[in-house]
Amino acid sequence: MQRDLNQLGQNEFDLLIVGGGIYGATAAREAALAGLSVALIEKNDFASGTSGNSLKIVHGGLRYLQHADLKRMRESIAERRVLLRIAPHLVHPLPCVMPTYGHAIKGPEVMRIAMLMNDVLSADRNLGADPGHTLPMGRVISRQRFLDLVPHVEKQRLNGGAVWYDATMYNSERLALAFVRSAVEQGAVAANHLAAEEFLLQEGRVTGVRARDGIGGGTVEIRARMTLTCAGPWINDLFARLGERRPSEQPFSTALNLVVKRRLSEAYAFGVNSKREFKDKDALIKKGSRLLFVVPWRDYTMIGTDHRPWQGTAGEYRVSEADIVSFLREVNEAMPGADIRREEVTFFYGGLLPMAGVNPGSGDVSITKHFRIHDHEQEQGVSGLLSILSVKYTTARGVAEAAVRAVGRKLGKKIDGKAGRKRHVWGGDVGDFAGFLAVQQAERPEPVSEVQMEQLARNYGTGVGEVFKAGGGNREWLRPVAGQERVLRAEVLHAVRHEMALTLADVVLRRTELGSGEYPGDEAAADAAAIMAAELGWDAQRMQRELADLRRLYQPA
C-alpha cells in the first residue's frame, strides 16, 4: 500500500471519501468491492481520531433493550457477526457480566428475562462462525461466582450477576487499517496526512476537493463524480467551506476512556453503575445512573466512557489532567476496593462524538443514537455530496454499505452491497483462528518467541509472512525493538514500506503494539525512530521532532 498523490490528482473517481476513520475505511472497501473507482483521503493518519478512541468492544446492543430499540439491536447483532467472520484474527468473543442487586430493575429476575430476549433476538449470531468464534447463550450466576470473576464492585445488596457474550477487538486501529488495505487491493487509491481544505464547486455541485499534503507540503485537486464525507467531528470545519449552503452545525460531546496498567478482571468485561445520577430521557426503563464499562485488554484494563459537552472545534480538543482525575474519581466511587491510583492510568483515549443534546436540569449528555446519511442535494441544494454521521464502531461497515448504495443511486449504478459481508479483510482469511495460531507457532522462524508470534498472528493474520519478508532474511530484523519484548523491528520496517506509516506516532500507536497502552519508553521510541529515519531520510532534527511529538501525546493538557 503506497501513498501516490499523483494518482489522486490525475484521475476522476466515481467516489471520493473524505475521512479515514472506521467509517471512511469501511466505505472505501464497500465501494471498491462494488466496482466503483474510489479515492480515500485522511487529514492525519488512518483511525487517528475518534476511531482510535475505543473500548475495543464489538457489541450486539444488549443495552438497547432498555430503550426497546430492537431495530438498532438487530443491526448491531448482524454487524458483530460480520466482523467475527471477516476479521477473525482481530475480533474475538468476549464474556461480559453485570452485577445484579435486589429484586427490581437491577435484580436477577429482570436480568434473566433480558438474557433470554438477547438470546432470542440474536438466534442467528453464530451463523458462519468458526468453532472458536461462537457466542454462547447468556445466563444468571450466583453472588459468589460473580465475586470470583469481579471482586471490585459494590457488595451491599449484591445477589448475583448476568453473563452474556459480545466481542472484542484485539487492535481497533489495525482493524481500520485492514479495511483500508482491502480497499486498496480492490483498486482504491488511499492517502493519509492529506487534508481536504475546500470543496471544488461547479454550478452548485461538489466535484471534489482541494487537499493539502501534511508531509511534503503543496496541494492536490482530487476530482470525483460523488464525494462522501466521513470526517466525524471535523465535519463542521468542512461544511463551513460551503458558505451560505452550509448545513446547521452539529454539536459534539467529548468521549474519554482510560487505560489502567492492571487487570481488574482476568477474562470478563463488566459493567458497574456510577454513583452519580444520570437521566436518559429516551429510556423506557430508568436506571437512574450511568453505566461504566470495564474491559480487560492485553495486559491492561480499559474503562469508559466519560461524556461532556464540547464547545470548541475538533482540532482544539485535548484530554486534560482535570478530565482524567475527575473521571477516575467517578470510577473509584463506582468500584469500592479497586482503588485505582492516578499513576496506574498509563494512557487515555479521547475523541468527539455527535451529541443529540444536553439535559438542561442535570447537564447529562445524550449521544446521537441512530446513524444518518445526509443527502446534501435534498437538504441544502448542494449536489454531488453525501455525509455519514454516526457513533458506533461496531456498525460502521453496515452504515458504509448503506451509504455506498446511496452513492450508486446518485451515479445511476445498481450496487450489490452484500460482498463486504462475507469477504475477509486483509489478513483475515485464517479459517479457525486457534488452528491458524497453532500452525504459526509451529512454523515460527528463529529467534521469534511464542509471545511475539501470537501478537503477530493477531495483528496481521495471514499477512504475517509479509512482515517476515520485510527484513529480507536478516535475523536482526526479527529481534524486538530495543527496550521492549513483543514488537519486532521488522514490524516498524514493514509499516513504513507497506502500510503508509509516515510519522513515529503512526507506527507506535496505530501500526504496532509499541505504545497503544502506555508510552513505550525512550529507548524503544528512539530505536523505532531510527528505523524510520533510515527509510524516510529523516535528519537528526526531524527525528528529535518526531520523538517530542510522540511524548506529547502521552501528556494530558
Side-chain angles (χ1 to χ4, degrees), residues 498-528:
H498 300 289
E499 295 187 332
M500 221 179 288
L502 298 170
T503 71
L504 183 58
D506 293 350
V507 165
V508 171
L509 285 168
R510 293 175 289 276
R511 301 301 186 282
T512 72
E513 291 186 22
L514 274 173
S516 50
E518 60 185 306
Y519 179 63
D522 290 344
E523 188 179 7
D527 193 19

Side-chain angles (χ1 to χ4, degrees), residues 175-187:
L175 181 56
L177 187 69
F179 278 104
V180 175
R181 290 205 61 170
S182 298
V184 170
E185 285 189 344
Q186 291 295 318

Side-chain angles (χ1 to χ4, degrees), residues 97-380:
V97 64
M98 187 82 69
T100 60
Y101 294 94
H103 298 281
I105 294 299
K106 299 177 183 179
E109 297 85 0
V110 172
M111 291 305 295
R112 186 175 283 109
I113 293 171
M115 295 299 101
L116 177 61
M117 291 179 65
N118 183 51
D119 287 335
V120 171
L121 289 167
S122 64
D124 57 352
R125 62 190 177 277
N126 293 322
L127 286 179
D130 72 56
H133 277 56
T134 57
L135 304 182
M137 296 178 68
R139 65 189 187 278
V140 172
I141 59 177
S142 69
R143 183 181 192 273
Q144 186 56 54
R145 176 57 179 154
F146 178 87
L147 289 173
D148 289 342
L149 298 173
V150 183
H152 307 296
V153 297
E154 177 62 62
K155 296 179 178 62
Q156 186 175 356
R157 299 182 70 238
L158 175 72
N159 55 11
V163 173
W164 75 98
Y165 289 80
D166 266 323
T168 182
M169 293 176 278
Y170 182 78
N171 192 324
S172 56
E173 294 85 358
R174 285 208 62 86
L175 181 56
L177 187 69
F179 278 104
V180 175
R181 290 205 61 170
S182 298
V184 170
E185 285 189 344
Q186 291 295 318
V189 181
N192 55 354
H193 299 285
L194 185 64
E197 289 197 323
E198 61 180 310
F199 291 108
L200 302 177
L201 291 166
Q202 186 175 341
E203 298 179 354
R205 180 178 183 84
V206 171
T207 59
V209 302
R210 181 176 292 108
R212 180 165 295 279
D213 181 5
I215 298 297
T219 61
V220 57
E221 291 190 353
I222 309 168
R223 300 191 177 275
R225 297 172 64 194
M226 287 295 301
T227 298
L228 175 67
T229 64
C230 303
W234 283 270
I235 200 167
N236 290 329
D237 296 346
L238 271 177
F239 286 161
R241 273 72 167 178
L242 292 174
E244 294 180 356
R245 294 186 176 184
R246 64 181 295 179
S248 58
E249 193 157 291
Q250 168 66 44
F252 285 87
S253 159
T254 64
L256 171 64
N257 298 311
L258 303 180
V259 181
V260 176
K261 189 66 178 289
R262 194 205 316 172
R263 291 290 286 268
L264 297 177
S265 169
E266 280 306 309
Y268 282 69
F270 62 95
V272 292
N273 289 306
S274 170
K275 297 293 186 181
R276 302 180 187 183
E277 185 181 11
F278 176 73
K279 296 180 180 180
D280 184 349
K281 63 182 179 62
D282 297 322
L284 299 179
I285 300 174
K286 310 291 186 182
K287 292 189 175 180
S289 61
R290 188 157 60 93
L291 181 70
L292 306 178
F293 214 64
V294 184
V295 185
W297 177 65
R298 300 183 191 165
D299 297 329
Y300 306 91
T301 295
M302 297 197 71
I303 307 173
T305 303
D306 183 51
H307 295 288
R308 303 188 183 186
W310 176 249
Q311 302 297 328
T313 67
E316 294 171 336
Y317 174 61
R318 282 194 67 196
V319 175
S320 71
E321 178 65 21
D323 293 335
I324 295 172
V325 170
S326 175
F327 186 38
L328 184 58
R329 186 182 303 117
E330 181 179 359
V331 168
N332 279 324
E333 289 171 355
M335 289 191 289
D339 190 26
I340 303 169
R341 300 182 304 278
R342 173 61 183 89
E343 57 267 27
E344 291 183 280
V345 179
T346 53
F347 199 26
F348 46 86
Y349 286 94
L352 298 173
L353 293 175
M355 183 174 68
V358 180
N359 186 303
S362 66
D364 296 325
V365 167
S366 177
I367 299 299
T368 298
K369 291 182 171 61
H370 297 276
F371 75 85
R372 297 197 296 267
I373 299 172
H374 291 281
D375 182 340
H376 297 287
E377 183 175 19
Q378 292 183 2
E379 296 175 16
Q380 287 86 34

